[in-house]
Structures are given as C-alpha cells and as structure tokens.
Amino acid sequence: MQSDSRLKVFTSKSVYVRLFQSPVSLCYTGAPTFDTLELTRTLAHETLDRWLTWVDAAEPVPEDARDALAARDLSLRRISAELDPGNKFAAQMFGSELTDRLVRSLWGGVGVSPP
C-alpha cells in the first residue's frame, strides 16, 4: 500500500487517537474511486479472514477470567470513543444528540442509556 500512488499515509495529529491505534493498523487516505474502494474492500476482507483464523486457533480464555477481560475490553472501547477529541467536530456537523448515539455505537452501547 505504501507504494500505491493513489493512497497517502494518514497519521493523526492527535496523540490521543494514536494511543488507541494498533501498532499494525493501516491508515491511508485516497480519492473514493471504484479502484481504491475495491482495494480497500479486498484488503479489509483479507485482514478479517486472517484475524478470524487467529481467533479460531487461539486458546480459549479461562472461564474464570472471561468476565474481567470482557469488562476491560468494554472499558477501553468506551473510554476511547467517549474521550476522542474529534467528537466535538462530529457534534458541530451532526448535533450533540446524533453524535452521542454515534459514539455509543462505537463502543457497543447502542440501546444503553447514557450515564
């Protein structure tokens, strides 16, 4: 992807956003052409398929650790979504109510009453 002239590497200016990104994440921008969208779709499916094979091969989490792990994961998703500095721009574009719903959907809180 780095050598594809249709794409440009994207690095967020926000330290906060960079902290929550995986070190192996792929962040690129490009014109929304048929070719770039098809490339994105293909890479997304390849990445998901690879990840699912890793999930299938992984050792199960011990039953007594599952609740703590699920709580930790939910907390990380919620904190990263709710405290994202970019939420203020979404609120300017979409309004606070829709932004709050969108943010809740990012961490899995759809249908969850706001705190």
Side-chain angles (χ1 to χ4, degrees):
M1 291 180 67
Q2 291 177 350
S3 64
D4 192 321
S5 63
R6 299 170 299 178
L7 304 174
K8 182 180 176 190
V9 174
F10 172 78
T11 303
S12 177
K13 293 178 183 175
S14 168
V15 173
Y16 182 84
V17 172
R18 292 194 312 267
L19 283 172
F20 279 100
Q21 284 182 302
S22 164
V24 296
S25 66
L26 301 173
C27 292
Y28 289 85
T29 60
T33 65
F34 177 82
D35 289 339
T36 58
L37 293 174
E38 189 60 30
L39 173 64
T40 301
R41 186 177 300 112
T42 299
L43 289 170
H45 281 282
E46 288 174 1
T47 302
L48 177 61
D49 290 343
R50 184 178 320 111
W51 183 81
L52 289 173
T53 62
W54 294 340
V55 169
D56 288 341
E59 291 292 322
V61 174
E63 207 165 314
D64 63 344
R66 291 178 188 174
D67 288 343
L69 182 60
R72 174 199 159 272
D73 289 351
L74 177 62
S75 180
L76 283 173
R77 287 194 317 271
R78 187 171 184 172
I79 289 167
S80 67
E82 289 182 346
L83 298 181
D84 185 335
N87 290 346
K88 64 184 173 192
F89 301 115
Q92 290 171 355
M93 290 188 295
F94 305 120
S96 295
E97 186 177 326
L98 178 56
T99 298
D100 290 345
R101 287 180 26 220
L102 292 169
V103 169
R104 278 199 314 277
S105 72
L106 286 172
W107 62 264
V110 175
V112 175
S113 299

